Amino acid sequence: MKKIIVAIIAAAVIFVKRETDNRYKAVIMDVATAPITQTLSTTGTVESTNRGEFVIYTGVVVKDVFVKLGDKVEEGQLLATFDSASLNGIVAMKQSEYDAAKVNYYNSVAAAQEAAAKIPALRVQIVEYEKQIKQLEAAAENKEVEEKDENVPAWVDSIDYSKLASLLRDEYTEQEIRDFFAKFARRGASRKSISDIIDSMTNAASFDMSSLMGMSSAESELMSAQLNVMSLKAQIGLLETQSKNVLGSTYESMMNTAKANLDSAKTAVKQLEKGWYAEGAGIVSELNITAGQAFVPAAASSDSSVDINSLLGLMSGSTPDVSGLLSSFMSSGTQTSIGLAVEYYDSFIATFSLGKADILDVQVGKTATIESLGKEYEGEVTFISPVAGGGSSLDITSMFGSMTGAASGGSNTIPAQVLIKNPDERIIIGIDVNIDIIVDTVEDAVVVPIEAVETSSVGSFVYKFNQETNTVSRVEVEIGLASDTQYQIVSGLS
């Protein structure tokens, strides 16, 4: 057997026996072969990735509750039962909401198609009116003289032409529209009559030309034709907007949300009718129901419910707040609350962070041991993030960098998870646990105590004892695996 001397350094004096005369004694140990396992030790936090949530509607009467908060449950165990009479009408209400949303969506699609179909006929009418305008202008005895603004009433500029201009954006500017109606104002048309006609044009409604007074017969015919052309073009602008079915996607989202709410209601009511059963072994982590009482959510609000028919009516307004209305509808959709929740044992994990120096040693599938409240559990690495993230450990480099004004780099930690096998009541969500991950094992390794190895910037060395010459030589060695108490010597002790 080769022998080595345990080197005595200041950091390892506790491993050295002191003689009575206060001298230190070098311990000569035989080099041995033995299995060695290298582990990575860290801490993590317990989480659950399989939470079973049992939902309940406001007003449903709870008959019996068979568990308490924190109770362990087994697969198939009955948790609670409910009064079936209190469930009447829930699915019917959701069905009605879905039917209304579906009708409105398909109506919006049909309206868009109808709007597109009307446009060609309006273009034909415009062509006819434009021909008439040319004839009327050619037949006029005197060319129209330039009209000056000093004869225009001041209120002409207070009328809102913007909405009409938006419909006629490719045909007339807002100034051109203002100048056109100023002609009517010069001839005695009132502010109300002009405003009414503009409102009619922007809503594709008919209007009465007789309200525009003060024109000769020929002049009236020409300006009437010009007004009709503007009105028809405004109608086309409105129909083109309708044909794009701008609100169609919103109606569709409401329909899909209503359908999801209906499906959820059917599933929830079916569970409530049968009673709630645990889908696996686990622990009750939330309990908000009481036997013999109608369920009322802790944060119930009298105005949180939105009637879908009222919502659809609001959407038909001239300027609906689509995003706000849809958000209100979707947030009020199911109108359910969590009555009870179970954290299932098949998916308890401990989350932790790997450092840059460890990431190449740990892979998914590695065996781990998790220690919690004095008990050990088998585990397995099931996830290593492909993206670095923040960690809770102290990064000395980052600390000194911030103190010296150096730029902060990327994160030095990688999120990871271990699955905890066969957890019990000592595995508590949110608690810190100790994690030991087996990095590698060599069964027949040359091993020496950690104290026997001297490591410096130039390499690793041991002091080799020659029994024949009774001398000690310092030899360089290659280190392999490391446990808490030993190093594997890969080479150097031949």
Side-chain angles (χ1 to χ4, degrees):
M1 282 286 193
K2 301 180 181 66
K3 294 192 176 182
I4 59 174
I5 292 181
V6 178
I8 308 305
I9 58 175
V13 293
I14 60 172
F15 299 104
V16 178
K17 181 179 179 181
R18 179 184 294 180
E19 299 295 327
T20 55
D21 57 0
N22 290 328
R23 290 182 299 175
Y24 295 102
K25 180 181 179 181
V27 179
I28 301 176
M29 302 183 65
D30 291 333
V31 176
T33 57
I36 185 170
T37 297
Q38 181 170 318
T39 60
L40 171 67
S41 297
T42 184
T43 58
T45 303
V46 176
E47 297 180 7
S48 172
T49 58
N50 186 5
R51 174 181 167 91
E53 295 181 345
F54 297 84
V55 298
I56 184 171
Y57 288 84
T58 300
V60 172
V61 176
V62 182
K63 289 178 66 177
D64 292 297
V65 181
F66 302 103
V67 291
K68 301 185 300 297
L69 187 64
D71 279 359
K72 291 178 61 178
V73 296
E74 301 298 329
E75 182 176 359
Q77 180 177 336
L78 181 60
L79 308 175
T81 57
F82 305 89
D83 180 5
S84 58
S86 63
L87 303 174
N88 294 336
I90 293 176
V91 173
M93 178 185 67
K94 297 302 175 186
Q95 182 69 57
S96 175
E97 291 181 350
Y98 171 57
D99 290 343
K102 184 167 61 173
V103 167
N104 278 275
Y105 167 66
Y106 286 112
N107 283 347
S108 74
V109 173
Q113 294 171 343
E114 291 175 6
K118 292 177 181 179
I119 293 175
L122 297 181
R123 295 195 189 281
V124 171
Q125 292 182 53
I126 289 173
V127 171
E128 294 301 319
Y129 275 118
E130 288 177 339
K131 289 179 182 178
Q132 182 183 357
I133 290 170
K134 287 183 179 180
Q135 292 172 357
L136 290 170
E137 289 176 339
E141 294 181 0
N142 299 313
K143 294 295 183 182
E144 185 177 352
V145 297
E146 183 180 353
E147 300 184 56
K148 298 183 179 180
D149 258 6
E150 53 259 30
N151 298 322
V152 177
W155 52 258
V156 168
D157 291 319
S158 66
I159 295 176
D160 184 8
Y161 304 99
S162 60
K163 187 174 181 181
L164 181 57
S166 68
L167 295 174
L168 297 166
R169 56 188 175 276
D170 296 328
E171 303 288 345
Y172 302 86
T173 66
E174 189 168 338
Q175 182 62 42
E176 288 172 337
I177 295 171
R178 178 264 182 204
D179 293 343
F180 178 73
F181 283 102
K183 295 179 181 179
F184 293 96
R186 289 192 195 96
R187 291 161 176 77
S190 68
R191 185 186 193 284
K192 183 178 184 306
S193 62
I194 291 177
S195 295
D196 288 347
I197 287 178
I198 290 175
D199 288 342
S200 297
M201 292 172 69
T202 54
N203 292 294
S206 59
F207 53 85
D208 182 10
M209 275 287 295
S210 64
S211 61
L212 304 180
M213 302 175 294
M215 294 177 286
S216 65
S217 176
E219 188 179 38
S220 174
E221 189 176 2
L222 174 60
M223 294 185 69
S224 175
Q226 292 172 333
L227 186 60
N228 282 325
V229 168
M230 182 179 287
S231 176
L232 289 169
K233 289 182 177 180
Q235 288 183 55
I236 289 175
L238 187 61
L239 290 171
E240 285 177 340
T241 300
Q242 292 174 349
S243 68
K244 294 175 183 176
N245 199 11
V246 176
L247 294 180
S249 60
T250 302
Y251 281 117
E252 185 177 18
S253 294
M254 292 178 63
M255 179 182 69
N256 293 337
T257 300
K259 180 62 166 64
N261 291 342
L262 172 61
D263 292 341
S264 297
K266 289 179 178 178
T267 300
V269 168
K270 188 176 295 184
Q271 285 185 328
L272 289 164
E273 288 174 339
K274 294 193 310 182
W276 288 345
Y277 290 84
E279 297 177 0
I283 186 169
V284 178
S285 60
E286 186 173 349
L287 185 62
N288 302 313
I289 55 176
T290 303
Q293 295 185 12
F295 176 74
V296 177
S301 173
S302 60
D303 60 353
S304 61
S305 176
V306 175
D307 175 37
I308 189 170
N309 294 311
S310 300
L311 182 62
L312 292 168
L314 289 171
M315 285 187 62
S316 64
S318 57
T319 55
D321 177 8
V322 175
S323 60
L325 292 172
L326 183 59
S327 175
S328 298
F329 170 64
M330 295 182 72
S331 64
S332 69
T334 58
Q335 299 171 23
T336 58
S337 299
I338 298 173
L340 184 149
V342 175
E343 309 292 344
Y344 292 113
Y345 285 147
D346 63 353
S347 59
F348 272 55
I349 62 169
T351 59
F352 64 101
S353 295
L354 290 169
K356 290 190 295 185
D358 306 317
I359 187 63
L360 297 180
D361 294 329
V362 179
Q363 297 87 37
V364 170
K366 289 287 188 182
T367 301
T369 300
I370 298 93
E371 186 272 326
S372 177
L373 300 178
K375 184 175 179 180
E376 291 188 346
Y377 303 83
E378 293 182 358
E380 180 183 335
V381 178
T382 55
F383 171 77
I384 298 175
S385 173
V387 180
S392 59
S393 60
L394 178 63
D395 183 348
I396 298 296
T397 303
S398 298
M399 182 180 72
F400 277 104
S402 63
M403 290 173 63
T404 59
S408 177
S411 173
N412 290 322
T413 59
I414 296 91
Q417 298 173 358
V418 292
L419 175 67
I420 304 173
K421 299 180 180 181
N422 303 313
D424 55 24
E425 65 277 358
R426 298 196 186 195
I427 298 295
I428 302 171
I429 294 174
I431 198 173
D432 289 340
V433 292
N434 297 319
I435 303 171
D436 291 321
I437 301 170
I438 297 177
V439 174
D440 200 359
T441 298
V442 175
E443 293 297 333
D444 192 19
V446 176
V447 296
V448 298
I450 285 179
E451 302 94 328
V453 180
E454 177 187 284
T455 302
S456 69
S457 60
V458 296
S460 298
F461 302 87
V462 297
Y463 291 89
K464 183 178 178 181
F465 177 67
N466 189 323
Q467 297 184 59
E468 295 179 357
T469 61
N470 202 32
T471 58
V472 174
S473 59
R474 184 173 182 261
V475 296
E476 186 173 4
V477 293
E478 180 185 352
I479 300 298
L481 301 186
S483 69
D484 290 339
T485 59
Q486 295 177 314
Y487 279 125
Q488 176 196 10
I489 305 299
V490 177
S491 63
L493 282 179
S494 57

Short mmCIF file of all heavy atoms in Angstrom, two decimals, residues 275-317:
data_model
loop_
_atom_site.label_atom_id
_atom_site.label_comp_id
_atom_site.label_asym_id
_atom_site.label_seq_id
_atom_site.Cartn_x
_atom_site.Cartn_y
_atom_site.Cartn_z
N GLY A 275 -71.57 15.50 -5.86
CA GLY A 275 -70.72 15.72 -4.70
C GLY A 275 -69.27 15.81 -5.15
O GLY A 275 -68.91 15.36 -6.24
N TRP A 276 -68.45 16.41 -4.33
CA TRP A 276 -67.04 16.58 -4.67
C TRP A 276 -66.23 15.39 -4.16
O TRP A 276 -66.30 15.04 -2.97
CB TRP A 276 -66.49 17.86 -4.06
CG TRP A 276 -67.00 19.11 -4.74
CD1 TRP A 276 -67.62 19.20 -5.94
CD2 TRP A 276 -66.93 20.45 -4.22
NE1 TRP A 276 -67.93 20.50 -6.24
CE2 TRP A 276 -67.51 21.29 -5.20
CE3 TRP A 276 -66.43 21.01 -3.06
CZ2 TRP A 276 -67.61 22.67 -5.02
CZ3 TRP A 276 -66.51 22.38 -2.88
CH2 TRP A 276 -67.10 23.20 -3.86
N TYR A 277 -65.41 14.81 -5.04
CA TYR A 277 -64.55 13.68 -4.69
C TYR A 277 -63.10 14.03 -5.02
O TYR A 277 -62.82 14.65 -6.05
CB TYR A 277 -64.95 12.42 -5.47
CG TYR A 277 -66.27 11.83 -5.03
CD1 TYR A 277 -67.48 12.32 -5.54
CD2 TYR A 277 -66.33 10.79 -4.10
CE1 TYR A 277 -68.70 11.78 -5.16
CE2 TYR A 277 -67.55 10.24 -3.71
CZ TYR A 277 -68.73 10.75 -4.24
OH TYR A 277 -69.94 10.21 -3.85
N ALA A 278 -62.18 13.58 -4.17
CA ALA A 278 -60.75 13.80 -4.43
C ALA A 278 -60.32 12.96 -5.62
O ALA A 278 -60.70 11.80 -5.75
CB ALA A 278 -59.93 13.44 -3.20
N GLU A 279 -59.54 13.57 -6.50
CA GLU A 279 -59.07 12.87 -7.70
C GLU A 279 -57.75 12.15 -7.46
O GLU A 279 -57.22 11.50 -8.36
CB GLU A 279 -58.91 13.87 -8.84
CG GLU A 279 -60.25 14.51 -9.24
CD GLU A 279 -60.08 15.56 -10.33
OE1 GLU A 279 -58.93 15.78 -10.76
OE2 GLU A 279 -61.09 16.14 -10.74
N GLY A 280 -57.21 12.27 -6.27
CA GLY A 280 -55.96 11.60 -5.93
C GLY A 280 -55.62 11.87 -4.48
O GLY A 280 -56.35 12.60 -3.78
N ALA A 281 -54.53 11.27 -4.01
CA ALA A 281 -54.09 11.52 -2.63
C ALA A 281 -53.50 12.92 -2.55
O ALA A 281 -52.77 13.35 -3.43
CB ALA A 281 -53.06 10.48 -2.23
N GLY A 282 -53.85 13.62 -1.48
CA GLY A 282 -53.35 14.98 -1.33
C GLY A 282 -53.73 15.59 -0.01
O GLY A 282 -54.08 14.87 0.94
N ILE A 283 -53.71 16.90 0.04
CA ILE A 283 -54.01 17.62 1.28
C ILE A 283 -54.91 18.80 0.96
O ILE A 283 -54.75 19.47 -0.06
CB ILE A 283 -52.71 18.09 1.98
CG1 ILE A 283 -53.02 18.71 3.33
CG2 ILE A 283 -51.91 19.03 1.09
CD1 ILE A 283 -51.77 18.94 4.17
N VAL A 284 -55.91 19.06 1.81
CA VAL A 284 -56.85 20.16 1.63
C VAL A 284 -56.12 21.47 1.95
O VAL A 284 -55.70 21.68 3.10
CB VAL A 284 -58.09 20.00 2.52
CG1 VAL A 284 -59.03 21.19 2.33
CG2 VAL A 284 -58.82 18.69 2.20
N SER A 285 -55.97 22.33 0.94
CA SER A 285 -55.22 23.57 1.13
C SER A 285 -56.11 24.80 1.18
O SER A 285 -55.64 25.89 1.55
CB SER A 285 -54.19 23.74 0.00
OG SER A 285 -54.85 23.80 -1.26
N GLU A 286 -57.38 24.67 0.81
CA GLU A 286 -58.30 25.81 0.86
C GLU A 286 -59.70 25.28 1.10
O GLU A 286 -60.13 24.31 0.47
CB GLU A 286 -58.24 26.60 -0.45
CG GLU A 286 -59.05 27.89 -0.42
CD GLU A 286 -58.83 28.74 -1.68
OE1 GLU A 286 -57.93 28.44 -2.46
OE2 GLU A 286 -59.60 29.71 -1.86
N LEU A 287 -60.45 25.93 2.00
CA LEU A 287 -61.80 25.50 2.32
C LEU A 287 -62.64 26.73 2.61
O LEU A 287 -62.40 27.43 3.61
CB LEU A 287 -61.80 24.54 3.53
CG LEU A 287 -63.14 23.92 3.90
CD1 LEU A 287 -63.66 23.04 2.76
CD2 LEU A 287 -63.01 23.09 5.18
N ASN A 288 -63.64 26.99 1.75
CA ASN A 288 -64.45 28.21 1.87
C ASN A 288 -65.94 27.92 1.99
O ASN A 288 -66.75 28.82 1.79
CB ASN A 288 -64.21 29.11 0.65
CG ASN A 288 -62.74 29.49 0.50
OD1 ASN A 288 -62.09 29.88 1.46
ND2 ASN A 288 -62.22 29.35 -0.71
N ILE A 289 -66.33 26.68 2.30
CA ILE A 289 -67.74 26.32 2.40
C ILE A 289 -68.05 25.84 3.81
O ILE A 289 -67.17 25.33 4.52
CB ILE A 289 -68.13 25.25 1.37
CG1 ILE A 289 -67.22 24.01 1.52
CG2 ILE A 289 -68.04 25.81 -0.05
CD1 ILE A 289 -67.60 22.87 0.60
N THR A 290 -69.33 26.01 4.19
CA THR A 290 -69.78 25.59 5.52
C THR A 290 -71.05 24.77 5.38
O THR A 290 -71.98 25.17 4.65
CB THR A 290 -70.07 26.82 6.41
OG1 THR A 290 -68.88 27.63 6.48
CG2 THR A 290 -70.48 26.39 7.80
N ALA A 291 -71.10 23.63 6.04
CA ALA A 291 -72.26 22.75 5.95
C ALA A 291 -73.52 23.48 6.43
O ALA A 291 -73.50 24.20 7.43
CB ALA A 291 -72.02 21.50 6.79
N GLY A 292 -74.60 23.31 5.67
CA GLY A 292 -75.88 23.88 6.03
C GLY A 292 -76.08 25.33 5.62
O GLY A 292 -77.12 25.92 5.93
N GLN A 293 -75.12 25.90 4.93
CA GLN A 293 -75.24 27.31 4.54
C GLN A 293 -75.15 27.47 3.02
O GLN A 293 -74.47 26.70 2.34
CB GLN A 293 -74.13 28.14 5.19
CG GLN A 293 -74.22 28.21 6.70
CD GLN A 293 -73.16 29.14 7.29
OE1 GLN A 293 -72.51 29.89 6.57
NE2 GLN A 293 -73.00 29.09 8.61
N ALA A 294 -75.86 28.50 2.53
CA ALA A 294 -75.75 28.86 1.11
C ALA A 294 -74.41 29.58 0.91
O ALA A 294 -74.03 30.42 1.73
CB ALA A 294 -76.90 29.76 0.70
N PHE A 295 -73.73 29.23 -0.15
CA PHE A 295 -72.40 29.79 -0.38
C PHE A 295 -72.48 31.26 -0.77
O PHE A 295 -73.24 31.66 -1.66
CB PHE A 295 -71.66 29.02 -1.47
CG PHE A 295 -70.32 29.61 -1.81
CD1 PHE A 295 -69.25 29.45 -0.94
CD2 PHE A 295 -70.14 30.35 -2.96
CE1 PHE A 295 -68.01 30.00 -1.24
CE2 PHE A 295 -68.91 30.90 -3.27
CZ PHE A 295 -67.84 30.72 -2.41
N VAL A 296 -71.68 32.07 -0.10
CA VAL A 296 -71.52 33.49 -0.43
C VAL A 296 -70.02 33.77 -0.48
O VAL A 296 -69.32 33.53 0.51
CB VAL A 296 -72.18 34.41 0.62
CG1 VAL A 296 -71.94 35.87 0.26
CG2 VAL A 296 -73.67 34.13 0.72
N PRO A 297 -69.50 34.23 -1.63
CA PRO A 297 -68.05 34.50 -1.69
C PRO A 297 -67.64 35.56 -0.70
O PRO A 297 -68.42 36.47 -0.38
CB PRO A 297 -67.82 34.96 -3.13
CG PRO A 297 -69.14 34.96 -3.81
CD PRO A 297 -70.20 34.54 -2.85
N ALA A 298 -66.41 35.45 -0.23
CA ALA A 298 -65.90 36.40 0.76
C ALA A 298 -65.88 37.82 0.21
O ALA A 298 -66.10 38.78 0.93
CB ALA A 298 -64.50 35.99 1.21
N ALA A 299 -65.61 37.97 -1.11
CA ALA A 299 -65.52 39.31 -1.72
C ALA A 299 -66.69 39.55 -2.65
O ALA A 299 -66.55 40.10 -3.73
CB ALA A 299 -64.20 39.47 -2.47
N ALA A 300 -67.89 39.14 -2.23
CA ALA A 300 -69.07 39.31 -3.09
C ALA A 300 -69.36 40.77 -3.34
O ALA A 300 -69.22 41.61 -2.46
CB ALA A 300 -70.28 38.65 -2.44
N SER A 301 -69.76 41.09 -4.55
CA SER A 301 -70.08 42.48 -4.92
C SER A 301 -71.42 42.50 -5.61
O SER A 301 -71.68 41.72 -6.50
CB SER A 301 -69.00 43.05 -5.85
OG SER A 301 -69.38 44.31 -6.33
N SER A 302 -72.28 43.43 -5.21
CA SER A 302 -73.63 43.47 -5.76
C SER A 302 -73.67 43.87 -7.22
O SER A 302 -74.62 43.60 -7.93
CB SER A 302 -74.49 44.44 -4.94
OG SER A 302 -73.92 45.74 -4.99
N ASP A 303 -72.63 44.58 -7.70
CA ASP A 303 -72.66 45.05 -9.07
C ASP A 303 -71.63 44.36 -9.95
O ASP A 303 -71.27 44.85 -11.00
CB ASP A 303 -72.43 46.57 -9.12
CG ASP A 303 -71.08 46.96 -8.53
OD1 ASP A 303 -70.41 46.06 -7.98
OD2 ASP A 303 -70.73 48.15 -8.64
N SER A 304 -71.14 43.18 -9.53
CA SER A 304 -70.11 42.51 -10.30
C SER A 304 -70.67 41.73 -11.48
O SER A 304 -69.96 41.38 -12.40
CB SER A 304 -69.32 41.55 -9.40
OG SER A 304 -70.19 40.56 -8.88
N SER A 305 -71.98 41.44 -11.46
CA SER A 305 -72.57 40.66 -12.54
C SER A 305 -72.95 41.56 -13.71
O SER A 305 -73.45 42.66 -13.52
CB SER A 305 -73.82 39.94 -12.01
OG SER A 305 -74.46 39.26 -13.05
N VAL A 306 -72.69 41.07 -14.90
CA VAL A 306 -73.04 41.82 -16.11
C VAL A 306 -74.01 40.98 -16.93
O VAL A 306 -73.71 39.84 -17.28
CB VAL A 306 -71.78 42.14 -16.95
CG1 VAL A 306 -72.17 42.81 -18.26
CG2 VAL A 306 -70.84 43.03 -16.16
N ASP A 307 -75.17 41.54 -17.21
CA ASP A 307 -76.17 40.86 -18.04
C ASP A 307 -75.73 40.96 -19.50
O ASP A 307 -75.54 42.05 -20.03
CB ASP A 307 -77.54 41.52 -17.84
CG ASP A 307 -78.58 40.93 -18.77
OD1 ASP A 307 -78.55 39.72 -19.01
OD2 ASP A 307 -79.42 41.71 -19.27
N ILE A 308 -75.60 39.81 -20.16
CA ILE A 308 -75.07 39.82 -21.52
C ILE A 308 -75.98 40.58 -22.48
O ILE A 308 -75.51 41.24 -23.42
CB ILE A 308 -74.83 38.38 -22.02
CG1 ILE A 308 -74.06 38.41 -23.35
CG2 ILE A 308 -76.13 37.63 -22.20
CD1 ILE A 308 -73.57 37.07 -23.80
N ASN A 309 -77.29 40.53 -22.27
CA ASN A 309 -78.20 41.24 -23.17
C ASN A 309 -78.01 42.76 -23.04
O ASN A 309 -78.04 43.48 -24.04
CB ASN A 309 -79.64 40.84 -22.86
CG ASN A 309 -79.91 39.39 -23.17
OD1 ASN A 309 -79.58 38.92 -24.26
ND2 ASN A 309 -80.49 38.66 -22.23
N SER A 310 -77.81 43.24 -21.81
CA SER A 310 -77.53 44.66 -21.63
C SER A 310 -76.21 45.04 -22.28
O SER A 310 -76.07 46.09 -22.88
CB SER A 310 -77.49 45.00 -20.13
OG SER A 310 -78.72 44.70 -19.52
N LEU A 311 -75.24 44.15 -22.15
CA LEU A 311 -73.93 44.40 -22.74
C LEU A 311 -74.01 44.50 -24.25
O LEU A 311 -73.44 45.40 -24.87
CB LEU A 311 -72.96 43.28 -22.33
CG LEU A 311 -71.53 43.38 -22.82
CD1 LEU A 311 -70.87 44.63 -22.27
CD2 LEU A 311 -70.74 42.15 -22.41
N LEU A 312 -74.75 43.59 -24.87
CA LEU A 312 -74.90 43.62 -26.33
C LEU A 312 -75.64 44.88 -26.77
O LEU A 312 -75.35 45.44 -27.83
CB LEU A 312 -75.64 42.36 -26.79
CG LEU A 312 -74.85 41.05 -26.62
CD1 LEU A 312 -75.76 39.85 -26.84
CD2 LEU A 312 -73.67 41.01 -27.58
N GLY A 313 -76.56 45.34 -25.94
CA GLY A 313 -77.26 46.57 -26.28
C GLY A 313 -76.33 47.77 -26.24
O GLY A 313 -76.39 48.65 -27.10
N LEU A 314 -75.45 47.80 -25.25
CA LEU A 314 -74.48 48.89 -25.17
C LEU A 314 -73.54 48.88 -26.35
O LEU A 314 -73.13 49.93 -26.85
CB LEU A 314 -73.68 48.76 -23.87
CG LEU A 314 -74.43 49.07 -22.57
CD1 LEU A 314 -73.57 48.69 -21.37
CD2 LEU A 314 -74.79 50.55 -22.50
N MET A 315 -73.21 47.70 -26.85
CA MET A 315 -72.27 47.60 -27.97
C MET A 315 -72.87 48.14 -29.26
O MET A 315 -72.15 48.51 -30.18
CB MET A 315 -71.83 46.15 -28.19
CG MET A 315 -70.84 45.68 -27.16
SD MET A 315 -70.20 44.05 -27.56
CE MET A 315 -69.41 44.38 -29.13
N SER A 316 -74.18 48.18 -29.34
CA SER A 316 -74.81 48.69 -30.55
C SER A 316 -74.85 50.20 -30.59
O SER A 316 -75.29 50.80 -31.56
CB SER A 316 -76.24 48.14 -30.66
OG SER A 316 -77.04 48.62 -29.58
N GLY A 317 -74.38 50.86 -29.53
CA GLY A 317 -74.34 52.32 -29.50
C GLY A 317 -73.36 52.88 -30.50
O GLY A 317 -72.59 52.16 -31.13
#
